[in-house]
């Protein structure tokens, strides 16, 4: 054996795209089975639109998979199938409520509105297009750090847009919509993505200063008073969203994201204490001052004080579903006053009624998988900006799911956020697909092999084999 002869030992991480494809097939099969089951239960036949639904969901999922296979081969293999499953089940439930509303309109002798499920599939296609744009254009997430303050400015502008006279629209008491070209959009959904980029980039630069401890109280190192500016500004902006736009959910989401990323960046529990006190003070002030917040709090404290109210109807529907549910197609998610909200704000309640507590837990576990894989991506990322960005994107899902599920189950006051991937609505769906794309881009960078191993002689290999 010649010492001069060498071999190269290099462990190449598996791309796991085959695993992703198999999980996608399962996700599509479950979604189509739910769609067919609803048709058989409600109409005693397979829906005529089953082929359109299966082809649409399947083709869109395959396009996203192929984009990852060729442009982000080392991306996490679990996140995309989970998103496709949630999106597919959401369309199936929207179709279920469409059938219920159609039957109710026919019984009342009124003209039914057009079905919303095809519209949701169309918005899914737009979301996948944006997914492809992010995957193809953002080749390295670290380049986004150069747009830190630009992203912050764009995020603030998107938050303020609904307040512009003639552009903003007041829908259901909240000024979070803008009307443009005959269509309604919710710019705050995209502001969420921009602000996460801003928070991550800002904290990378300022985390050393924000980590400095001031006074020590009850074993906790509190930050210095001079460093309280950022958290006070974030608190003020979140209160502004609550006061002027009457959007309790977005206010909680934005402040919660900044507070959590601040804690992750500095590892100082004192920031959580200060942020918690500021949030409690703002929540108490809002509950005593603003009528829309008082209404949400009163509905939470006594959901049955109003017969047929939203919260009480949602709770009764979930109680009727019980542990195993009434079965897909055998509930009444279209009943008043939920009606159209059974497809949007209360779609989780619709699932709880027809799939029961067991089905609801399964859906929450799918969300948990997305969050866990996002946090795992953050742990594996090699740069601080990527760690904070992946953490912020994952926690945006965590906060939304907690706020939504907590609201419809009576754990916390109802906020009105959209259930990611499931709720009827184009803006939220498109923005969430962009978040998934960015999270997968970071994952690809984190899992990608960096440099090949150094050459190793044949004698070294032989010695290693003998030791084994």
């Amino acid at each position: 054996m010649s010492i001069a002869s060498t071999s190269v030992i290099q462990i190449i991480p598996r791309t796991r795209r085959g695993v992703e494809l198999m999980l996608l097939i399962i996700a599509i099969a479950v979604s189509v089975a739910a769609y067919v089951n609803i048709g058989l239960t409600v109409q005693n036949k397979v829906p005529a639109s089953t082929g359109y639904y299966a082809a649409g969901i399947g083709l869109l999922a395959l396009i996203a998979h192929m984009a990852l296979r060729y442009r982000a081969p080392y991306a996490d293999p679990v996140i995309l199938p989970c998103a496709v499953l949630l999106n597919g089940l959401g369309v199936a439930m929207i179709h279920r409520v469409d059938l219920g509303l159609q039957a109710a309109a026919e019984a009342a002798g009124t003209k039914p509105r057009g079905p919303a499920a095809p519209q949701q599939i169309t918005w899914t296609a737009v979301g996948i297009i944006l997914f492809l744009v992010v995957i193809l254009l953002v080749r390295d997430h670290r380049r986004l750090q150069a747009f830190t303050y630009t992203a912050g400015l764009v995020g603030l502008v998107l938050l303020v847009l609904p307040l512009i006279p003639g552009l903003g629209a007041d829908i259901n008491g909240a000024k979070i919509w803008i009307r443009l070209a005959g269509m309604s959009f919710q710019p705050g959904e995209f502001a969420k993505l921009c602000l996460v980029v801003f928070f991550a980039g800002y904290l990378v630069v300022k985390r050393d200063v924000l980590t400095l401890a001031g006074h020590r109280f009850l074993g906790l190192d509190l930050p210095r008073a001079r460093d309280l500016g950022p958290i006070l500004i974030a608190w003020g902006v979140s209160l502004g969203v609550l006061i002027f736009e009457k959007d309790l959910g977005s206010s909680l989401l934005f402040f919660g994201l900044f507070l959590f990323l601040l804690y992750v960046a500095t590892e100082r529990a004192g920031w959580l204490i200060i942020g918690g006190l500021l949030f409690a003070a703002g929540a108490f002030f809002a509950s005593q001052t603003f009528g829309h917040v008082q209404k949400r709090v009163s509905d939470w404290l006594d959901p049955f004080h109003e017969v047929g109210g939203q919260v009480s109807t949602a709770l009764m529907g979930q109680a009727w579903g019980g542990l195993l549910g009434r079965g897909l197609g055998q509930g009444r998610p279209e009943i008043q006053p939920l009606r159209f909200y059974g497809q949007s704000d209360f779609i989780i309640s619709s699932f709880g009624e027809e799939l029961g507590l067991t089905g609801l837990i399964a859906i929450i576990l799918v969300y948990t998988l997305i969050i866990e894989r996002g946090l795992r991506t953050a742990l594996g990322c090699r740069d601080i900006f990527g760690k904070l960005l992946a953490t912020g994107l994952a926690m945006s899902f965590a906060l939304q799911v907690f706020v939504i599920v907590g609201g419809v189950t009576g754990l916390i006051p109802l906020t009105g956020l959209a259930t990611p991937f499931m709720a009827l609505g184009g803006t939220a769906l498109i923005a969430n697909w962009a978040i998934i794309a960015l999270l997968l881009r970071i994952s690809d960078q984190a899992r990608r092999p960096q440099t090949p191993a150094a050459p190793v002689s044949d004698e070294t290999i032989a010695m290693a084999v003998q030791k084994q």
Side-chain angles (χ1 to χ4, degrees):
M1 181 181 296
S2 173
I3 299 179
S5 63
T6 59
S7 300
V8 176
I9 296 179
Q10 182 179 2
I11 301 176
I12 301 177
R14 299 171 63 183
T15 60
R16 313 291 290 184
R17 298 275 67 83
V19 174
E20 180 183 78
L21 181 59
M22 291 301 299
L23 292 176
L24 280 174
I25 293 174
I26 295 173
I28 295 169
V30 171
S31 302
V32 174
Y35 194 87
V36 172
N37 187 78
I38 289 171
L40 291 174
T41 303
V42 178
Q43 298 177 311
N44 295 319
K45 64 178 182 180
V46 176
S49 56
T50 300
Y52 165 76
Y53 169 74
I57 294 295
L59 181 61
L60 292 173
L62 181 61
I63 290 173
H65 168 73
M66 296 304 295
L68 292 179
R69 183 176 287 271
Y70 290 103
R71 292 298 186 179
Y74 294 95
D76 188 281
V78 178
I79 294 178
L80 178 61
C82 288
V84 170
L85 176 61
L86 294 171
N87 201 156
L89 290 177
V91 175
M93 181 54 69
I94 291 171
H95 173 65
R96 162 68 188 97
V97 180
D98 280 340
L99 296 179
L101 292 175
Q102 181 181 358
E106 292 174 353
T110 60
K111 182 180 180 180
R113 69 165 193 175
Q119 177 186 355
Q120 188 75 351
I121 294 180
T122 302
W123 285 120
T124 301
V126 177
I128 294 296
I129 291 174
L130 185 57
F131 175 94
L132 298 176
V133 170
V134 174
I135 291 295
L136 296 177
L137 294 185
V138 182
R139 304 301 297 272
D140 190 339
H141 67 272
R142 291 170 292 188
R143 297 182 179 179
L144 295 176
Q145 189 174 357
F147 301 96
T148 295
Y149 292 98
T150 302
L153 178 60
V154 172
L156 290 177
V157 170
L158 290 174
L159 285 178
V160 173
L161 280 180
L163 299 177
I164 299 178
L167 183 62
D170 190 332
I171 300 178
N172 299 324
K175 298 179 180 179
I176 58 177
W177 300 85
I178 61 173
R179 292 192 184 276
L180 189 64
M183 303 181 67
S184 298
F185 301 93
Q186 194 173 344
E189 292 292 338
F190 292 99
K192 172 178 58 180
L193 179 58
C194 294
L195 290 178
V196 170
V197 174
F198 168 70
F199 293 157
Y202 175 81
L203 291 173
V204 167
V205 178
K206 300 296 184 180
R207 69 189 186 102
D208 291 336
V209 175
L210 297 174
T211 304
L212 297 176
H215 298 287
R216 189 174 182 82
F217 179 73
L218 296 178
L220 292 175
D221 292 324
L222 299 178
R224 301 178 302 177
R226 72 185 71 176
D227 298 328
L228 295 178
I231 195 171
L232 291 176
I233 293 175
W235 181 63
V237 172
S238 65
L239 280 182
V241 172
L242 175 62
I243 294 172
F244 297 107
E245 297 186 358
K246 300 180 180 180
D247 188 5
L248 180 60
S250 296
S251 175
L252 175 61
L253 177 63
F254 295 143
F255 185 68
L257 276 176
F258 179 77
L259 183 61
F260 189 84
L261 286 179
L262 183 59
Y263 169 69
V264 171
T266 62
E267 299 181 3
R268 294 290 185 185
W271 286 114
L272 294 180
I273 302 298
I274 293 176
L277 293 174
L278 289 174
F279 174 77
F284 178 78
F285 170 76
S287 65
Q288 299 297 315
T289 307
F290 306 108
H292 62 285
V293 180
Q294 292 177 354
K295 179 67 166 56
R296 297 288 178 89
V297 174
S298 63
D299 289 343
W300 170 55
L301 294 176
D302 186 9
F304 296 98
H305 77 283
E306 180 184 358
V307 178
Q310 290 183 352
V311 179
S312 61
T313 305
L315 292 176
M316 292 176 65
Q318 293 171 76
W320 191 41
L323 183 62
L324 300 178
R326 310 304 300 179
L328 281 174
Q330 299 184 34
R332 296 292 303 279
E334 76 282 357
I335 197 171
Q336 289 278 12
L338 298 185
R339 205 164 173 82
F340 306 120
Y341 296 112
Q343 297 173 313
S344 53
D345 293 6
F346 287 89
I347 195 169
I348 282 292
S349 177
S350 300
F351 276 107
E353 180 177 341
E354 300 210 335
L355 297 182
L357 179 61
T358 304
L360 198 56
I361 290 175
I363 291 173
I364 295 174
L365 285 177
V366 177
Y367 281 115
T368 305
L369 275 176
I370 295 178
I371 297 164
E372 185 271 335
R373 304 300 289 199
L375 294 178
R376 176 178 292 190
T377 295
L379 289 174
C381 198
R382 300 173 180 88
D383 62 287
I384 301 299
F385 175 73
K387 287 181 180 292
L388 291 176
L389 184 58
T391 300
L393 296 175
M395 290 309 299
S396 69
F397 283 111
L399 287 173
Q400 284 185 87
V401 173
F402 170 75
V403 168
I404 294 162
V405 177
V408 300
T409 58
L411 179 63
I412 60 175
L414 194 65
T415 59
L417 284 176
T419 308
F421 297 109
M422 284 188 161
L424 176 63
T427 312
L429 183 60
I430 295 171
N432 285 322
W433 273 113
I435 291 176
I436 288 293
L438 190 54
L439 198 55
L440 287 170
R441 170 53 67 196
I442 302 172
S443 174
D444 174 69
Q445 191 76 20
R447 293 161 55 94
R448 184 181 294 272
Q450 295 301 298
T451 55
V456 182
S457 67
D458 290 342
E459 288 187 351
T460 304
I461 299 174
M463 291 175 61
V465 172
Q466 291 176 1
K467 288 182 180 181
Q468 292 180 357

